[in-house]
Amino acid sequence: MKIKSEILKSLIEEISPVMGKGKTMPILDNVILKVKNGTLAMKGTNLEVFIEVSELVETSDEMEILLDFQKLKKIIETSKCEELDFKETNENIMINAGKVKHKIGKTNFNLEDYPEYPALTDPQMFKINFAGLSKCLPSIGSEYQKSLYGIHF
């Protein structure tokens, strides 16, 4: 399954603020990478914040895997290729980035072990363009925090 690097970098950037904060369980070091019906979704949580980001992709392949977030992030950020090719074997996830081939061992966890996202009780949903929203929000302290825990509209 081939995915453009720029799409993966964008998703990694969006999900990064949640990952690695307040980890209480080893499974939280991982993200779910899912491709279905031409949409690539990446899910992550620190149990306080659950995040899912997605982008349309040009593939008819389908895949759902659990990957170590830091390893995936490093591969994507250091890749100089326009696209990465993901292949799943029984024991590994192979990521080909041109002449560079990465092998990530599958985690000891099953997808079913990943914390479930809380069900929304209010079916009204809307999307917010985070880049636009971040320009509207003032800086907090000396460092801007992209983690958004709540907004009152």
Side-chain angles (χ1 to χ4, degrees):
M1 168 183 69
K2 293 184 179 183
I3 301 172
K4 291 183 180 179
S5 294
E6 66 188 50
I7 291 173
L8 290 163
K9 285 178 184 177
S10 171
L11 297 182
I12 287 286
E13 185 178 306
E14 290 182 57
I15 205 168
S16 283
V18 171
M19 302 304 296
K21 292 184 178 181
K23 289 185 268 182
T24 55
M25 300 182 329
I27 195 167
L28 300 180
D29 291 334
N30 299 279
V31 291
I32 296 174
L33 191 67
K34 181 178 182 177
V35 178
K36 186 172 184 178
N37 299 328
T39 300
L40 168 64
M42 191 178 292
K43 293 181 182 183
T45 184
N46 60 13
L47 292 182
E48 190 173 309
V49 177
F50 291 78
I51 185 168
E52 179 177 352
V53 293
S54 61
E55 285 280 343
L56 295 175
V57 291
E58 296 176 19
T59 184
S60 59
D61 294 336
E62 293 190 2
M63 177 185 277
E64 186 171 20
I65 51 178
L66 193 61
L67 287 167
D68 180 285
F69 177 72
Q70 292 303 326
K71 289 179 184 176
L72 178 64
K73 180 179 178 183
K74 186 175 182 177
I75 290 168
I76 291 169
E77 288 179 344
T78 59
S79 173
K80 294 182 179 14
C81 291
E82 289 186 22
E83 63 183 17
L84 295 152
D85 188 13
F86 290 76
K87 289 189 171 112
E88 184 177 14
T89 67
N90 288 337
E91 297 175 6
N92 300 300
I93 306 298
M94 306 300 294
I95 304 174
N96 295 331
K99 295 178 182 179
V100 181
K101 298 183 184 338
H102 303 275
K103 180 169 73 171
I104 300 178
K106 285 190 176 178
T107 69
N108 294 329
F109 304 105
N110 295 318
L111 283 166
E112 298 80 31
D113 296 332
Y114 205 77
E116 288 188 37
Y117 281 50
L120 297 175
T121 55
D122 184 359
Q124 293 182 339
M125 292 184 61
F126 56 93
K127 292 186 176 186
I128 296 175
N129 177 312
F130 189 80
L133 179 64
S134 66
K135 290 178 184 176
C136 298
L137 296 175
S139 296
I140 300 172
S142 62
E143 183 179 316
Y144 184 76
Q145 295 181 2
K146 286 190 176 182
S147 296
L148 181 63
Y149 295 107
I151 285 188
H152 182 270
F153 288 97

